Amino acid sequence: MTPRADLLALTQDDLSVLSNRGTVKRALKEIEAGNPRCDWSELSDGTLVASWSDGIQCRFPAGKPIQEARCSSEAQGISRHVVRSVLHYQLRLAEAAAANNSPTTTTSSDEVDTPTQRTVTPVAFNESWDPGQILDEALQSHFGKSAVTRSRTLFDRGVVALVERGAKPVCRFLHEPCAVRFLVPGDLDYVHAECSEKLRATYIPWAVWTFRELAADQSSGLVSIENRIDGTPIDLLDEVETLTFELMDDGIQGLAPTFVSRVQRIVDRLNDAGMVWPGEVWNDLLTQTEAYRAHDARFDPAQTVDLVGELLIRSDAIRHDRGAVPRLLVQGSRTDRTTEIAYGRFIGLGCSVRNRRRNVEITAFMQEIDSGTVAAVDRTYTDPEPESGQPVKDFGTLSRGLIGSGVSLSELGEGQLLLKSGNLTPAHRLLIPRSRVHMNPQTFAWEKLRAPVLVDSFADASARLQALPPKSLRPRRLTEDVAVLKVASVEGMAFDPVSQSLTAALKDTEGDIAILRHGYSTRARHGFESLWKALNDVQSRLMYVAGQLRPTTAGLLIAPTCVVVEQGDRRVAIQPWVERPSAESEAQSTTTGGLPERAFSGGDVLQRLNELLAEALTTGVRKMPPQVHRRWEELSRLGEAAGFVLLPGVAKRFASDFARRLEARDWSSQSALGITRELLVLSRLFGDLADGR
């Protein structure tokens, strides 16, 4: 019997990628128990046949991948029996090889196939190899010449990826949400791409060509192909800066009537130049200015500070490009555009909440099950004025309000959306039509979710996030940091009085730790209580945590949007931010009783900074009262006490400049504008570091 190199090369992780980890675990248990038994034979055409004592037969045609193996159970996809057969085949050849190499032991084929208790250690190819050695002729033979030609055209426009050579090479594209894994040396039938089937002909050739760009003496690295990006458009960036300084100097309340139309023209020119993300920032700023003029409570001065800071950072990075961060990440490209969705089935991954000064933004996250694309649907809700006497609604009540098409955000977060048409923006915001949608419940079988959203290895997820630049310098996708962690166990849980949050140590199957952290809010008390009880319940087992990831010095951190626990033979989901209250949760509270007072911290300094900058952007720097210097002096002192290095000095310069205004009749706002620019950049970068943006 001629050994099948592809079957021997597949590791248990590879089989999990091709099927799922649950299928592999079940197959492993049957193999290790030695029941059922298996006999192997080879047909004249080279087909391998595994005949099992439980009546199942699996056939592996010669020259075909295991995706084309035929199983008598007629199960769809790569069945448990096919996986079981591959594992048994590897074990059989390993034991036969070990017996042949032993001078004192002889083992018959019958003895090889009659285990009583075995530990399965698959035979695998462990030598490093380079997918860049795959020839274009092989790509054309596999995908078709026209498809490869189209892929090359797109590739030459620019790609950015992290690549890693090894026994199982992987290429992770950073400008697109896709990773490509090569499972069997040189075999295009065994390449796993985290994308829809129709996009494989694009991403797999991209990955092969990207590996060719990595230096021969490097095992891994960042590869940026930006051959088609034109020279830096200095004139356009100058106009962007002029408008930004005008916004800072006049303030939102004093903008000229022509300001909006000028910005709209700039956005069109930015898009034409391929600078999609700066254009998207300006669109968000226009939304803020329009909300202010309409006296809409959705106007958020703090968000305006974030947006202006991000715009300045992106403009500086494009203007002074040193190659440290690929421009495709900073500015985007013409391929970042709104796309139509003809049909989609989306699985809810929970809801997040951002509570602002006078409004609340709730976002539901979902994964489209076929393509693996993660999309977001968000809405902003205005809180009543304090003097109105109207009660403030909790987040759960807000999330249950219909947003069109008869669905709510909480339903999207925990259900299954069937969409017949829609649009997906460059920011991965899903625009749902008012008709042709249908909601079904889901069973929370999240092992069927697609990577890279589904994370088995905390270490891999942390490494991928650490390789990314700050959020201000990468694609502005709402779903960029959303993931689902598969949890092996919960090692500990506590209430942290400093951050006013529940924390729990989660462990994966490799023993690595991630920290779950969920902040307390009186408007989400029921969800907090439900999460606390579920993690404390000895009769419940935490299976998955969906949320927003960020790397920290202490390890991977996840802010949960939804957790799935197993209770007996059923799975239950909890959306901590928008969970509905139960009769039990209304009657009692089991967290910590009263919440302790929180000490003043560095986060409070950043909040003060943001408030002062928000005032400057709203009223205009040149219109700020001279006495404002006292508040900036206080901020400088607080920053020093909290251990900040850069901020105190810049804040002191700002205070000094405004203090001179009290005496100098010829005072100009130009110096103050330059310092304000520094402070806006610092504020946004501090925010990126503080919350993993």
Side-chain angles (χ1 to χ4, degrees):
M1 186 181 296
T2 305
R4 281 277 298 267
D6 61 331
L7 300 186
L8 295 176
L10 294 172
T11 65
Q12 292 171 21
D13 285 339
D14 296 340
L15 292 170
S16 296
V17 167
L18 294 171
S19 56
N20 61 69
R21 195 166 294 277
T23 296
V24 175
K25 284 185 176 181
R26 187 174 175 188
L28 277 169
K29 288 181 180 179
E30 293 179 355
I31 294 292
E32 291 173 348
N35 185 29
R37 296 174 54 190
C38 181
D39 293 320
W40 285 87
S41 59
E42 184 175 4
L43 305 182
S44 58
D45 62 356
T47 297
L48 289 180
V49 181
S51 300
W52 292 89
S53 59
D54 60 0
I56 295 295
Q57 188 179 84
C58 296
R59 292 173 175 258
F60 298 84
K64 302 291 185 181
I66 67 167
Q67 292 91 326
E68 297 188 33
R70 298 190 294 274
C71 177
S72 62
S73 69
E74 298 184 355
Q76 296 295 317
I78 299 176
S79 69
R80 179 183 93 255
H81 311 103
V82 169
V83 173
R84 184 175 71 181
S85 299
V86 173
L87 294 172
H88 186 276
Y89 181 78
Q90 294 176 349
L91 182 63
R92 181 180 189 275
L93 266 65
E95 291 181 346
N100 291 335
N101 291 333
S102 172
T104 58
T105 304
T106 59
T107 306
S108 68
S109 61
D110 287 341
E111 291 172 325
V112 170
D113 287 337
T114 56
T116 55
Q117 186 70 33
R118 291 169 166 173
T119 299
V120 180
T121 305
V123 178
F125 294 92
N126 295 316
E127 294 184 2
S128 177
W129 68 285
D130 185 359
Q133 297 172 349
I134 297 174
L135 301 177
D136 282 4
E137 289 78 7
L139 294 172
Q140 293 172 1
S141 175
H142 193 83
F143 296 109
K145 186 174 182 178
S146 61
V148 174
T149 300
R150 287 194 300 271
S151 179
R152 186 73 208 194
T153 300
L154 295 173
F155 179 82
D156 287 339
R157 293 178 183 173
V159 300
V160 182
L162 287 169
V163 296
E164 182 178 349
R165 296 185 178 119
K168 305 292 180 180
V170 60
C171 174
R172 296 181 177 89
F173 294 107
L174 302 184
H175 68 302
E176 301 275 357
C178 179
V180 178
R181 303 174 187 274
F182 295 83
L183 307 182
V184 175
D187 195 334
L188 290 171
D189 283 324
Y190 287 98
V191 181
H192 179 72
E194 297 163 352
C195 64
S196 63
E197 187 65 28
K198 66 181 180 181
L199 291 177
R200 285 173 54 84
T202 297
Y203 287 123
I204 293 175
W206 279 12
V208 170
W209 297 325
T210 302
F211 271 103
R212 294 178 190 173
E213 299 294 330
L214 185 66
D217 60 346
Q218 289 185 262
S219 60
S220 63
L222 178 68
V223 174
S224 176
I225 308 297
E226 300 180 328
N227 299 332
R228 297 292 180 87
I229 291 185
D230 299 329
T232 304
I234 298 297
D235 292 344
L236 182 55
L237 292 174
D238 286 344
E239 291 187 49
V240 167
E241 181 129 326
T242 298
L243 283 172
T244 307
F245 270 75
E246 185 175 325
L247 171 63
M248 292 159 52
D249 202 21
D250 293 339
I252 292 178
Q253 67 181 19
L255 290 174
T258 60
F259 183 82
V260 171
S261 59
R262 290 161 58 203
V263 169
Q264 289 171 339
R265 288 195 293 272
I266 282 289
V267 170
D268 291 339
R269 292 177 60 193
L270 287 170
N271 289 332
D272 290 341
M275 292 194 286
V276 175
W277 301 130
E280 287 286 306
V281 178
W282 269 120
N283 281 330
D284 288 348
L285 278 170
L286 285 180
T287 299
Q288 286 295 305
T289 59
E290 290 168 1
Y292 178 85
R293 291 180 175 180
H295 303 286
D296 191 327
R298 286 177 293 182
F299 169 67
D300 183 16
Q303 187 178 7
T304 305
V305 171
D306 271 355
L307 290 169
V308 176
E310 180 185 349
L311 182 62
L312 292 169
I313 291 170
R314 289 186 187 271
S315 297
D316 283 349
I318 296 171
R319 184 189 296 270
H320 307 291
D321 183 12
R322 301 288 187 270
V325 180
R327 271 181 57 180
L328 277 175
L329 298 185
V330 179
Q331 70 176 47
S333 70
R334 293 180 179 88
T335 60
D336 293 307
R337 60 186 184 276
T338 298
T339 57
E340 292 185 4
I341 299 174
Y343 174 82
R345 183 163 64 96
F346 293 83
I347 301 299
L349 305 177
C351 293
S352 70
V353 169
R354 178 164 288 191
N355 191 17
R356 299 193 176 100
R357 187 171 64 96
R358 292 180 57 196
N359 61 67
V360 175
E361 182 182 75
I362 302 179
T363 305
F365 299 104
M366 299 169 287
Q367 183 178 48
E368 206 285 307
I369 202 65
D370 292 328
S371 67
T373 299
V374 181
V377 178
D378 58 358
R379 291 292 185 276
T380 300
Y381 301 91
T382 302
D383 287 336
E385 296 287 349
E387 59 271 16
S388 70
Q390 299 179 20
V392 176
K393 295 181 180 179
D394 62 71
F395 302 147
T397 299
L398 292 175
S399 72
R400 292 194 291 277
L402 300 183
I403 60 172
S405 303
V407 299
S408 68
L409 290 173
S410 64
E411 287 178 306
L412 293 175
E414 66 183 3
Q416 182 178 184
L417 171 69
L418 302 180
L419 188 66
K420 293 184 178 180
S421 68
N423 290 287
L424 191 68
T425 71
H428 279 209
R429 180 177 282 109
L430 181 63
L431 306 179
I432 301 176
R434 292 189 174 276
S435 60
R436 291 178 291 181
V437 299
H438 188 69
M439 289 297 304
N440 284 331
Q442 62 163 306
T443 59
F444 303 101
W446 282 5
E447 59 271 11
K448 297 180 181 179
L449 294 174
R450 300 178 67 99
V453 165
L454 182 60
V455 173
D456 285 332
S457 170
F458 297 172
D460 286 350
S462 182
R464 178 176 63 83
L465 290 171
Q466 288 175 346
L468 294 173
K471 197 168 185 178
S472 299
L473 293 172
R474 65 180 195 245
R476 300 186 84 240
R477 300 188 186 102
L478 300 174
T479 59
E480 191 80 0
D481 54 0
V482 174
V484 174
L485 302 185
K486 184 172 183 180
V487 180
S489 61
V490 179
E491 298 301 307
M493 186 179 68
F495 180 80
D496 180 10
V498 176
S499 62
Q500 299 269 291
S501 60
L502 178 158
T503 61
L506 313 178
K507 183 178 285 188
D508 66 7
T509 55
E510 299 171 7
D512 291 314
I513 296 293
I515 303 300
L516 177 152
R517 178 176 295 165
H518 178 64
Y520 178 84
S521 170
T522 55
R523 299 176 70 178
R525 178 175 63 85
H526 305 297
F528 191 95
E529 297 288 346
S530 297
L531 179 61
W532 182 278
K533 292 174 183 176
L535 295 180
N536 270 304
D537 187 358
V538 295
Q539 296 182 343
S540 297
R541 178 190 170 203
L542 181 62
M543 300 290 294
Y544 299 97
V545 178
Q548 294 168 291
L549 294 182
R550 69 180 176 97
T552 69
T553 54
L556 192 66
L557 184 71
I558 184 166
T561 56
C562 185
V563 301
V564 174
V565 296
E566 195 170 63
Q567 298 176 344
D569 59 352
R570 71 188 187 107
R571 291 181 179 179
V572 177
I574 298 168
Q575 298 186 84
W577 285 113
V578 298
E579 191 67 18
R580 297 172 176 84
S582 64
E584 181 182 2
S585 65
E586 289 280 18
Q588 57 181 331
S589 175
T590 61
T591 53
T592 59
L595 297 177
E597 291 294 325
R598 185 171 59 85
F600 192 85
S601 67
D604 296 302
V605 175
L606 297 182
Q607 184 176 343
R608 295 275 182 92
L609 170 62
N610 195 284
E611 290 170 353
L612 289 173
L613 289 173
E615 179 185 357
L617 290 180
T618 303
T619 64
V621 170
R622 63 184 171 86
K623 301 174 186 175
M624 294 176 67
Q627 293 79 10
V628 77
H629 72 278
R630 297 191 182 94
R631 295 164 62 194
W632 284 96
E633 289 172 349
E634 180 190 15
L635 177 67
S636 178
R637 291 193 296 271
L638 291 173
E640 288 180 352
F644 285 87
V645 176
L646 294 175
L647 176 60
V650 182
K652 187 175 292 185
R653 282 196 288 122
F654 191 88
S656 298
D657 191 88
F658 267 84
R660 285 195 299 272
R661 184 181 179 184
L662 294 171
E663 302 174 356
R665 294 183 178 180
D666 60 346
W667 181 86
S668 169
S669 63
Q670 291 305 307
S671 175
L673 284 172
I675 302 172
T676 303
R677 190 189 200 284
E678 289 183 61
L679 289 164
L680 285 164
V681 169
L682 282 176
S683 173
R684 181 58 203 246
L685 289 176
F686 287 150
D688 283 359
L689 294 173
D691 67 6
R693 298 182 305 185

